[in-house]
Amino acid sequence: MRRSRPILAVQAADHGTIEFKSGNYQLALAEFQQALAYHSFVSNTIRQQMMVLDNQLSSDDQPLQDFQAYTAQIIDQNNLTEPYNSYHRLISGMYLGGLAKTNLQFLPLAEDNFAQAAAMAPGKAETYMRWGEMYAKLNRYPEAEAKFNQALQLEPNHGYVNFLVSSWCVANGQVERGADLIMTALAAGYVGDIQTMQSMVGSLVLVGREDVVERFYQQIIETRSSDTETLIWSIVQLALLYKQEGKLDQAIAAAKQLYRYDISPSELQKFRTELNLEF
């Protein structure tokens, strides 16, 4: 009978993590293989740890490719030990989809895991959203759009799904649809990340959807009172947008909110010059 040695397994996995982060992929693989050889109750966690480590890396380095190939080969053991856990299938699909960006041999395996996750939890929009993300990253836009549409059909008011799909729509020329999806996300109380939104602002303004950009900044101002830096940035952006639209009274009203915060007189004067309005 095999002896389960979880402490030794964790120690070996920790050594493997250190070696991996140092770029010693061959040694890392040997340490993780040793960790899994203990057949402990933490084996599923160790396999997931391997997935997290190498999912964002791509290289011609053969030891790294060997590490990824081995991880791809063993992750199905998590699904076998917990066969009714759709989340394992979803995570496996995301992991394999990441590997498919540099090696398409992993794509069928990713698709199979996504399909099984969808079959286990047919009402879960995230599965189709992540499936669509994979296709989008592979520039397979018709397949991506189909999966995104399935996600929205399942949860039409899901804030995160709407915002994520909106960014894809805007990037692919479907700006009006993207604008409507952002408004749905905001109505659901979801304020997406600023960097993604800023990448869409130019396209939204070009098609006359300043209302979406206004609402985005307004909602940040209303909901992120503890994040002063982001709050001040949003007030500035909103005032500048109002000025650009010719809404001078609203621009001044927005700018006056800056007096609530500890901003140096020189910074305020710099913004007055940029805005070219007295407030």
Side-chain angles (χ1 to χ4, degrees), residues 48 53 59 90 96 167 169 192 197 202 206-207 218-219 226 229-230 237 271:
Q48 290 169 340
L53 281 172
S59 170
L90 174 59
L96 292 162
S167 64
C169 287
M197 186 64 190
L206 276 176
V207 299
Q218 289 165 353
Q219 199 146 325
S226 61
E229 185 177 342
T230 300
Q237 295 302 313
F271 180 54

Side-chain angles (χ1 to χ4, degrees), residues 187-200:
Y190 182 82
V191 180
D193 68 280
I194 290 173
Q195 186 176 359
T196 300
M197 186 64 190
Q198 281 300 102
S199 71
M200 297 190 279

Side-chain angles (χ1 to χ4, degrees), residues 4 21 36 46 111 122 157 163 181 194 219 227 231 235 245-246 253-254 256 270 273:
S4 174
K21 291 183 176 179
L36 293 171
I46 290 170
E111 291 173 322
N157 297 312
F163 189 81
L181 292 173
I194 290 173
Q219 199 146 325
D227 186 354
L231 195 59
I235 291 169
E245 295 178 86
K256 283 182 177 179
K270 182 179 177 182
T273 302

Side-chain angles (χ1 to χ4, degrees), residues 132 135-148 168 171-172 174:
Y135 285 133
K137 290 174 182 176
L138 294 172
N139 298 321
R140 299 177 64 149
Y141 298 122
E143 293 101 320
E145 185 172 19
K147 297 305 175 188
F148 287 147
W168 181 87
N172 287 277
Q174 300 178 34

Side-chain angles (χ1 to χ4, degrees), residues 15-256:
H15 292 155
T17 299
I18 292 169
E19 296 294 351
F20 188 94
K21 291 183 176 179
S22 299
N24 302 320
Y25 304 122
Q26 189 171 4
L27 288 174
L29 178 56
E31 291 285 359
F32 276 109
Q33 287 174 326
Q34 180 60 53
L36 293 171
Y38 289 117
H39 303 286
S40 74
F41 64 83
V42 295
S43 291
N44 279 5
T45 302
I46 290 170
R47 283 187 281 266
Q48 290 169 340
Q49 186 175 347
M50 294 175 72
M51 292 163 59
V52 170
L53 281 172
D54 74 19
N55 188 36
Q56 301 302 319
L57 295 179
S58 60
S59 170
D60 294 329
D61 189 325
Q62 188 59 50
L64 174 58
Q65 292 181 356
D66 291 343
F67 189 101
Q68 291 174 328
Y70 178 79
T71 306
Q73 175 187 339
I74 64 170
I75 57 173
D76 201 49
Q77 293 177 37
N78 284 22
N79 301 318
L80 294 175
T81 55
E82 296 184 49
Y84 304 109
N85 190 331
S86 67
Y87 186 70
H88 276 317
R89 287 291 179 186
L90 174 59
I91 295 299
S92 298
M94 292 167 63
Y95 170 73
L96 292 162
L99 296 184
K101 287 188 290 185
T102 53
N103 190 337
L104 283 175
Q105 74 172 353
F106 294 110
L107 180 58
L109 295 173
E111 291 173 322
D112 180 63
N113 275 277
F114 279 124
Q116 292 196 53
M120 291 178 185
K124 189 174 182 179
E126 184 184 7
T127 301
Y128 294 98
M129 182 191 70
R130 300 298 184 189
W131 201 345
E133 275 186 306
M134 177 192 73
Y135 285 133
K137 290 174 182 176
L138 294 172
N139 298 321
R140 299 177 64 149
Y141 298 122
E143 293 101 320
E145 185 172 19
K147 297 305 175 188
F148 287 147
N149 286 337
Q150 283 179 280
L152 290 171
Q153 286 169 6
L154 287 170
E155 295 190 53
N157 297 312
H158 191 294
Y160 179 67
V161 172
N162 274 273
F163 189 81
L164 184 140
V165 178
S166 75
S167 64
W168 181 87
C169 287
V170 172
N172 287 277
Q174 300 178 34
V175 184
E176 282 289 353
R177 186 187 180 207
D180 292 338
L181 292 173
I182 295 170
M183 291 298 267
T184 300
L186 293 171
Y190 182 82
V191 180
D193 68 280
I194 290 173
Q195 186 176 359
T196 300
M197 186 64 190
Q198 281 300 102
S199 71
M200 297 190 279
V201 166
S203 297
L204 292 165
V205 170
L206 276 176
V207 299
R209 292 305 303 268
E210 290 91 346
D211 61 311
V212 178
V213 186
E214 287 177 16
R215 186 63 204 133
F216 179 79
Y217 294 139
Q218 289 165 353
Q219 199 146 325
I220 290 178
I221 294 166
E222 293 166 5
T223 60
R224 297 195 181 178
S225 58
S226 61
D227 186 354
T228 305
E229 185 177 342
T230 300
L231 195 59
I232 291 171
W233 178 87
S234 300
I235 291 169
V236 168
Q237 295 302 313
L238 182 59
L240 290 171
L241 179 62
Y242 281 144
K243 171 69 184 301
Q244 181 181 330
E245 295 178 86
K247 300 177 179 179
L248 303 187
D249 290 342
Q250 288 167 276
I252 292 170
K256 283 182 177 179

